[in-house]
Amino acid sequence: MPADSPAVEIDGLVMRYGDKVAVDGLSLTVARGSITAVLGPNGAGKTTTLETCEGYRKPQQGTVRVLGLDPQRQRHDLLPRIGVMLQHGGAWSGVRAMEMLDHIAAMHAFPLDTALLSERLGLADCGRTPYRRLSGGQQQRLALAMALVGRPELVFVDEPTAGMDPQARRTTWELLEEIRRDGVTVVLTTHHMDEAERLADQIHIIDRGTLIATGSPSELTRGNRSATIRLVVTRPFPDSAPESLRFALGPDAEVRQLDDVSMLIVGPANSTTLGTVSRWCETHDVLPETLSLGQRTLEDVFLELTGRQLSA
């Protein structure tokens, strides 16, 4: 495969479950040597898309290429070159952690040193513990070790830090960044926006089976609007408050009422915008409890695009 060709290339993918369309003409690419995050609300089609890339599902329409190979027809050639970290499962209930990792390592021609890998991921102290007795974070660390032990060119990681304590989470981030520097491509799904913003070179946001936004974290958060203003008041807003404030701010700002006493304004981060909001409060006899200006975050972008929280 040419060095500049995508590690993953999806073109017009359609997947259905009965009458329900899970993936609806999805097209996206993953650059080699990158960490690419695929984000979306529950039911957006992420899992189906990635399971198709991993060869567990056959495309009903469209094409999928992973490392230049068809995950169905060329599965035998592809499997030794990829790693897959599942969010749940992947190990027998009674097997000890290091027994499982050694077993997976034995399936590969040139595996990593399992003792060093387990030490790096903090598994050394629980290596003799049966899988069912591991904490959620320990199970995740073992799953990541199993995905990496075969020296894959491309690794799919699903919720890599779920259940981990802050130190283990940071260690995992550092390891994923390290393998990216070594040329390994990482495809990441996560419900932690800070994780995607920290790790990803590129982010694809999908909803209802279609790609709705793509770009680097800075491109997505910058856009044409670079800040958010959060207005929280002491008593409920008047009924026409969002429309009235939107009219006062003009076309360069968006206003969303979050609940009876809070609004989110997305727009230019300047004194004029803040001044307009303050004057509007005075004119409409609205007493602010807090009026805060902050940089637009990836979570803000996600909510604007999908209208839904990215919840686990």
PDB file of all heavy atoms in Angstrom, residues 103-126:
ATOM      1  N   HIS A 103      -1.166 -15.741  26.075  1.00  0.00           N
ATOM      2  CA  HIS A 103      -1.863 -16.539  25.066  1.00  0.00           C
ATOM      3  C   HIS A 103      -2.017 -15.751  23.762  1.00  0.00           C
ATOM      4  O   HIS A 103      -1.749 -16.280  22.673  1.00  0.00           O
ATOM      5  CB  HIS A 103      -3.234 -16.954  25.601  1.00  0.00           C
ATOM      6  CG  HIS A 103      -4.107 -17.630  24.590  1.00  0.00           C
ATOM      7  ND1 HIS A 103      -3.870 -18.902  24.116  1.00  0.00           N
ATOM      8  CD2 HIS A 103      -5.229 -17.191  23.950  1.00  0.00           C
ATOM      9  CE1 HIS A 103      -4.801 -19.224  23.224  1.00  0.00           C
ATOM     10  NE2 HIS A 103      -5.637 -18.210  23.111  1.00  0.00           N
ATOM     11  N   ILE A 104      -2.432 -14.482  23.871  1.00  0.00           N
ATOM     12  CA  ILE A 104      -2.586 -13.652  22.677  1.00  0.00           C
ATOM     13  C   ILE A 104      -1.238 -13.417  22.022  1.00  0.00           C
ATOM     14  O   ILE A 104      -1.098 -13.459  20.788  1.00  0.00           O
ATOM     15  CB  ILE A 104      -3.258 -12.310  23.041  1.00  0.00           C
ATOM     16  CG1 ILE A 104      -4.670 -12.546  23.594  1.00  0.00           C
ATOM     17  CG2 ILE A 104      -3.304 -11.379  21.834  1.00  0.00           C
ATOM     18  CD1 ILE A 104      -5.627 -13.197  22.628  1.00  0.00           C
ATOM     19  N   ALA A 105      -0.197 -13.179  22.829  1.00  0.00           N
ATOM     20  CA  ALA A 105       1.139 -12.945  22.284  1.00  0.00           C
ATOM     21  C   ALA A 105       1.625 -14.143  21.478  1.00  0.00           C
ATOM     22  O   ALA A 105       2.278 -13.985  20.430  1.00  0.00           O
ATOM     23  CB  ALA A 105       2.115 -12.633  23.413  1.00  0.00           C
ATOM     24  N   ALA A 106       1.307 -15.357  21.944  1.00  0.00           N
ATOM     25  CA  ALA A 106       1.768 -16.573  21.269  1.00  0.00           C
ATOM     26  C   ALA A 106       1.158 -16.741  19.889  1.00  0.00           C
ATOM     27  O   ALA A 106       1.666 -17.526  19.072  1.00  0.00           O
ATOM     28  CB  ALA A 106       1.451 -17.788  22.136  1.00  0.00           C
ATOM     29  N   MET A 107       0.086 -16.011  19.593  1.00  0.00           N
ATOM     30  CA  MET A 107      -0.558 -16.097  18.283  1.00  0.00           C
ATOM     31  C   MET A 107       0.126 -15.233  17.233  1.00  0.00           C
ATOM     32  O   MET A 107      -0.237 -15.284  16.053  1.00  0.00           O
ATOM     33  CB  MET A 107      -2.030 -15.680  18.396  1.00  0.00           C
ATOM     34  CG  MET A 107      -2.861 -16.584  19.281  1.00  0.00           C
ATOM     35  SD  MET A 107      -4.591 -16.022  19.351  1.00  0.00           S
ATOM     36  CE  MET A 107      -5.304 -17.297  20.384  1.00  0.00           C
ATOM     37  N   HIS A 108       1.094 -14.413  17.652  1.00  0.00           N
ATOM     38  CA  HIS A 108       1.750 -13.483  16.738  1.00  0.00           C
ATOM     39  C   HIS A 108       3.199 -13.883  16.509  1.00  0.00           C
ATOM     40  O   HIS A 108       3.845 -14.475  17.378  1.00  0.00           O
ATOM     41  CB  HIS A 108       1.684 -12.064  17.289  1.00  0.00           C
ATOM     42  CG  HIS A 108       0.285 -11.520  17.378  1.00  0.00           C
ATOM     43  ND1 HIS A 108      -0.342 -10.921  16.316  1.00  0.00           N
ATOM     44  CD2 HIS A 108      -0.609 -11.513  18.392  1.00  0.00           C
ATOM     45  CE1 HIS A 108      -1.564 -10.539  16.672  1.00  0.00           C
ATOM     46  NE2 HIS A 108      -1.751 -10.894  17.928  1.00  0.00           N
ATOM     47  N   ALA A 109       3.695 -13.540  15.337  1.00  0.00           N
ATOM     48  CA  ALA A 109       5.059 -13.930  14.967  1.00  0.00           C
ATOM     49  C   ALA A 109       6.110 -13.165  15.756  1.00  0.00           C
ATOM     50  O   ALA A 109       7.131 -13.728  16.170  1.00  0.00           O
ATOM     51  CB  ALA A 109       5.264 -13.714  13.467  1.00  0.00           C
ATOM     52  N   PHE A 110       5.898 -11.855  15.964  1.00  0.00           N
ATOM     53  CA  PHE A 110       6.896 -11.030  16.641  1.00  0.00           C
ATOM     54  C   PHE A 110       6.224 -10.160  17.708  1.00  0.00           C
ATOM     55  O   PHE A 110       6.148  -8.930  17.571  1.00  0.00           O
ATOM     56  CB  PHE A 110       7.627 -10.146  15.625  1.00  0.00           C
ATOM     57  CG  PHE A 110       8.274 -10.923  14.509  1.00  0.00           C
ATOM     58  CD1 PHE A 110       7.676 -10.983  13.254  1.00  0.00           C
ATOM     59  CD2 PHE A 110       9.462 -11.607  14.720  1.00  0.00           C
ATOM     60  CE1 PHE A 110       8.268 -11.699  12.220  1.00  0.00           C
ATOM     61  CE2 PHE A 110      10.059 -12.331  13.690  1.00  0.00           C
ATOM     62  CZ  PHE A 110       9.464 -12.387  12.437  1.00  0.00           C
ATOM     63  N   PRO A 111       5.737 -10.781  18.765  1.00  0.00           N
ATOM     64  CA  PRO A 111       5.002 -10.006  19.768  1.00  0.00           C
ATOM     65  C   PRO A 111       5.925  -9.137  20.612  1.00  0.00           C
ATOM     66  O   PRO A 111       7.138  -9.359  20.703  1.00  0.00           O
ATOM     67  CB  PRO A 111       4.350 -11.097  20.630  1.00  0.00           C
ATOM     68  CG  PRO A 111       5.308 -12.256  20.534  1.00  0.00           C
ATOM     69  CD  PRO A 111       5.822 -12.209  19.119  1.00  0.00           C
ATOM     70  N   LEU A 112       5.322  -8.143  21.250  1.00  0.00           N
ATOM     71  CA  LEU A 112       6.029  -7.361  22.245  1.00  0.00           C
ATOM     72  C   LEU A 112       6.319  -8.214  23.469  1.00  0.00           C
ATOM     73  O   LEU A 112       5.661  -9.237  23.697  1.00  0.00           O
ATOM     74  CB  LEU A 112       5.182  -6.155  22.655  1.00  0.00           C
ATOM     75  CG  LEU A 112       4.916  -5.092  21.582  1.00  0.00           C
ATOM     76  CD1 LEU A 112       3.903  -4.075  22.101  1.00  0.00           C
ATOM     77  CD2 LEU A 112       6.199  -4.395  21.162  1.00  0.00           C
ATOM     78  N   ASP A 113       7.283  -7.784  24.260  1.00  0.00           N
ATOM     79  CA  ASP A 113       7.582  -8.456  25.518  1.00  0.00           C
ATOM     80  C   ASP A 113       6.408  -8.241  26.476  1.00  0.00           C
ATOM     81  O   ASP A 113       6.112  -7.114  26.865  1.00  0.00           O
ATOM     82  CB  ASP A 113       8.866  -7.875  26.109  1.00  0.00           C
ATOM     83  CG  ASP A 113       9.322  -8.609  27.359  1.00  0.00           C
ATOM     84  OD1 ASP A 113       8.554  -8.607  28.348  1.00  0.00           O
ATOM     85  OD2 ASP A 113      10.432  -9.152  27.361  1.00  0.00           O
ATOM     86  N   THR A 114       5.725  -9.319  26.860  1.00  0.00           N
ATOM     87  CA  THR A 114       4.506  -9.168  27.653  1.00  0.00           C
ATOM     88  C   THR A 114       4.794  -8.639  29.053  1.00  0.00           C
ATOM     89  O   THR A 114       3.974  -7.905  29.615  1.00  0.00           O
ATOM     90  CB  THR A 114       3.750 -10.506  27.754  1.00  0.00           C
ATOM     91  OG1 THR A 114       4.625 -11.505  28.300  1.00  0.00           O
ATOM     92  CG2 THR A 114       3.255 -10.952  26.386  1.00  0.00           C
ATOM     93  N   ALA A 115       5.954  -8.984  29.618  1.00  0.00           N
ATOM     94  CA  ALA A 115       6.290  -8.480  30.956  1.00  0.00           C
ATOM     95  C   ALA A 115       6.475  -6.969  30.933  1.00  0.00           C
ATOM     96  O   ALA A 115       5.984  -6.253  31.818  1.00  0.00           O
ATOM     97  CB  ALA A 115       7.547  -9.166  31.479  1.00  0.00           C
ATOM     98  N   LEU A 116       7.178  -6.473  29.904  1.00  0.00           N
ATOM     99  CA  LEU A 116       7.396  -5.037  29.810  1.00  0.00           C
ATOM    100  C   LEU A 116       6.087  -4.302  29.523  1.00  0.00           C
ATOM    101  O   LEU A 116       5.829  -3.229  30.083  1.00  0.00           O
ATOM    102  CB  LEU A 116       8.417  -4.733  28.704  1.00  0.00           C
ATOM    103  CG  LEU A 116       9.857  -5.172  28.976  1.00  0.00           C
ATOM    104  CD1 LEU A 116      10.740  -4.874  27.769  1.00  0.00           C
ATOM    105  CD2 LEU A 116      10.401  -4.475  30.218  1.00  0.00           C
ATOM    106  N   LEU A 117       5.246  -4.883  28.659  1.00  0.00           N
ATOM    107  CA  LEU A 117       3.974  -4.246  28.325  1.00  0.00           C
ATOM    108  C   LEU A 117       3.061  -4.203  29.544  1.00  0.00           C
ATOM    109  O   LEU A 117       2.411  -3.180  29.814  1.00  0.00           O
ATOM    110  CB  LEU A 117       3.302  -5.007  27.182  1.00  0.00           C
ATOM    111  CG  LEU A 117       1.981  -4.443  26.657  1.00  0.00           C
ATOM    112  CD1 LEU A 117       2.142  -3.008  26.162  1.00  0.00           C
ATOM    113  CD2 LEU A 117       1.423  -5.328  25.545  1.00  0.00           C
ATOM    114  N   SER A 118       3.016  -5.280  30.305  1.00  0.00           N
ATOM    115  CA  SER A 118       2.160  -5.295  31.490  1.00  0.00           C
ATOM    116  C   SER A 118       2.671  -4.327  32.549  1.00  0.00           C
ATOM    117  O   SER A 118       1.879  -3.680  33.244  1.00  0.00           O
ATOM    118  CB  SER A 118       2.085  -6.708  32.072  1.00  0.00           C
ATOM    119  OG  SER A 118       3.346  -7.132  32.563  1.00  0.00           O
ATOM    120  N   GLU A 119       3.987  -4.201  32.648  1.00  0.00           N
ATOM    121  CA  GLU A 119       4.547  -3.234  33.591  1.00  0.00           C
ATOM    122  C   GLU A 119       4.174  -1.821  33.185  1.00  0.00           C
ATOM    123  O   GLU A 119       3.799  -0.989  34.022  1.00  0.00           O
ATOM    124  CB  GLU A 119       6.075  -3.384  33.629  1.00  0.00           C
ATOM    125  CG  GLU A 119       6.770  -2.493  34.637  1.00  0.00           C
ATOM    126  CD  GLU A 119       6.532  -2.926  36.069  1.00  0.00           C
ATOM    127  OE1 GLU A 119       6.345  -4.137  36.310  1.00  0.00           O
ATOM    128  OE2 GLU A 119       6.523  -2.042  36.961  1.00  0.00           O
ATOM    129  N   ARG A 120       4.248  -1.548  31.900  1.00  0.00           N
ATOM    130  CA  ARG A 120       3.924  -0.200  31.397  1.00  0.00           C
ATOM    131  C   ARG A 120       2.469   0.161  31.675  1.00  0.00           C
ATOM    132  O   ARG A 120       2.143   1.309  31.994  1.00  0.00           O
ATOM    133  CB  ARG A 120       4.209  -0.134  29.894  1.00  0.00           C
ATOM    134  CG  ARG A 120       3.873   1.199  29.254  1.00  0.00           C
ATOM    135  CD  ARG A 120       4.810   2.295  29.742  1.00  0.00           C
ATOM    136  NE  ARG A 120       4.397   3.596  29.259  1.00  0.00           N
ATOM    137  CZ  ARG A 120       4.708   4.088  28.071  1.00  0.00           C
ATOM    138  NH1 ARG A 120       5.447   3.371  27.216  1.00  0.00           N
ATOM    139  NH2 ARG A 120       4.303   5.285  27.712  1.00  0.00           N
ATOM    140  N   LEU A 121       1.584  -0.814  31.581  1.00  0.00           N
ATOM    141  CA  LEU A 121       0.156  -0.557  31.756  1.00  0.00           C
ATOM    142  C   LEU A 121      -0.334  -0.836  33.171  1.00  0.00           C
ATOM    143  O   LEU A 121      -1.539  -0.815  33.428  1.00  0.00           O
ATOM    144  CB  LEU A 121      -0.649  -1.389  30.749  1.00  0.00           C
ATOM    145  CG  LEU A 121      -0.606  -0.872  29.313  1.00  0.00           C
ATOM    146  CD1 LEU A 121      -1.229  -1.875  28.351  1.00  0.00           C
ATOM    147  CD2 LEU A 121      -1.326   0.464  29.198  1.00  0.00           C
ATOM    148  N   GLY A 122       0.586  -1.089  34.079  1.00  0.00           N
ATOM    149  CA  GLY A 122       0.190  -1.279  35.471  1.00  0.00           C
ATOM    150  C   GLY A 122      -0.533  -2.579  35.738  1.00  0.00           C
ATOM    151  O   GLY A 122      -1.378  -2.656  36.640  1.00  0.00           O
ATOM    152  N   LEU A 123      -0.201  -3.626  34.970  1.00  0.00           N
ATOM    153  CA  LEU A 123      -0.858  -4.924  35.146  1.00  0.00           C
ATOM    154  C   LEU A 123      -0.018  -5.895  35.962  1.00  0.00           C
ATOM    155  O   LEU A 123      -0.489  -6.991  36.295  1.00  0.00           O
ATOM    156  CB  LEU A 123      -1.149  -5.557  33.775  1.00  0.00           C
ATOM    157  CG  LEU A 123      -2.227  -4.876  32.926  1.00  0.00           C
ATOM    158  CD1 LEU A 123      -2.209  -5.445  31.517  1.00  0.00           C
ATOM    159  CD2 LEU A 123      -3.598  -5.050  33.554  1.00  0.00           C
ATOM    160  N   ALA A 124       1.209  -5.523  36.288  1.00  0.00           N
ATOM    161  CA  ALA A 124       2.112  -6.462  36.957  1.00  0.00           C
ATOM    162  C   ALA A 124       1.549  -6.946  38.292  1.00  0.00           C
ATOM    163  O   ALA A 124       1.703  -8.116  38.653  1.00  0.00           O
ATOM    164  CB  ALA A 124       3.478  -5.808  37.156  1.00  0.00           C
ATOM    165  N   ASP A 125       0.881  -6.072  39.025  1.00  0.00           N
ATOM    166  CA  ASP A 125       0.385  -6.432  40.348  1.00  0.00           C
ATOM    167  C   ASP A 125      -0.872  -7.301  40.306  1.00  0.00           C
ATOM    168  O   ASP A 125      -1.265  -7.863  41.336  1.00  0.00           O
ATOM    169  CB  ASP A 125       0.084  -5.169  41.166  1.00  0.00           C
ATOM    170  CG  ASP A 125       1.346  -4.390  41.500  1.00  0.00           C
ATOM    171  OD1 ASP A 125       2.434  -4.992  41.465  1.00  0.00           O
ATOM    172  OD2 ASP A 125       1.235  -3.180  41.783  1.00  0.00           O
ATOM    173  N   CYS A 126      -1.505  -7.372  39.148  1.00  0.00           N
ATOM    174  CA  CYS A 126      -2.738  -8.178  39.060  1.00  0.00           C
ATOM    175  C   CYS A 126      -2.604  -9.283  38.017  1.00  0.00           C
ATOM    176  O   CYS A 126      -3.601  -9.831  37.563  1.00  0.00           O
ATOM    177  CB  CYS A 126      -3.939  -7.286  38.746  1.00  0.00           C
ATOM    178  SG  CYS A 126      -3.831  -6.401  37.174  1.00  0.00           S
TER     179      CYS A 126
END
